[in-house]
Amino acid sequence: MKKILCLVLLFMATLASAQDKKENQKAKIVEASCGQCQFGMTGHGCDLAVRIDGKSYFVDGSSIDSHGDAHAKDGFCSAIRKASVQGEVVNNRFKATSFTLLPKEKKKS
């Protein structure tokens, strides 16, 4: 009887400590650029931002300098680029768990 009781308690302890599995977030394709230079956001200096469904958010989890020279011809301060991102909006900021800048689209002639 003691063995059965111990097994039941062990089983219950295992269930109680199990973690919930989070759903894998799908990657979204968003516009990415300098929040101040391209999206007209208020801030200090140049900061990475994304535009999701027409609303702009500063990004936490990636920086403007992680993706090349922001002031280059095709940099974030000069152009709006596409990025594949995962994360969520928290307190009016985008908390990125993944941020991948997509290649520039070639102009069709």
Side-chain angles (χ1 to χ4, degrees), residues 17-83:
S17 65
Q19 295 180 357
D20 292 332
K21 289 184 180 180
K22 290 186 178 181
E23 289 184 32
N24 287 338
Q25 294 177 338
K26 284 189 172 183
K28 295 180 187 180
I29 305 299
V30 299
E31 293 179 312
S33 196
C34 175
Q36 291 84 347
C37 297
Q38 294 294 319
F39 294 154
M41 299 171 73
T42 303
H44 304 288
C46 296
D47 294 307
L48 182 61
V50 293
R51 189 161 40 203
I52 302 170
D53 298 328
K55 185 157 172 119
S56 300
Y57 304 95
F58 286 116
V59 175
D60 294 327
S62 187
S63 73
I64 198 165
D65 295 321
S66 298
H67 306 282
D69 181 4
H71 295 100
K73 180 180 167 187
D74 63 346
F76 285 132
C77 292
S78 303
I80 297 173
R81 302 277 303 270
K82 298 284 185 185

Side-chain angles (χ1 to χ4, degrees), residues 8-9 18 34-35 38 50 54 62 65 67 70 74 78-79 88 92 94-95 99 101-102 107 109:
V8 169
L9 288 174
C34 175
Q38 294 294 319
V50 293
S62 187
D65 295 321
H67 306 282
D74 63 346
S78 303
E88 61 184 333
N92 211 31
F94 183 75
K95 307 290 184 184
F99 189 103
L101 186 62
L102 299 177
K107 293 184 180 181
S109 42

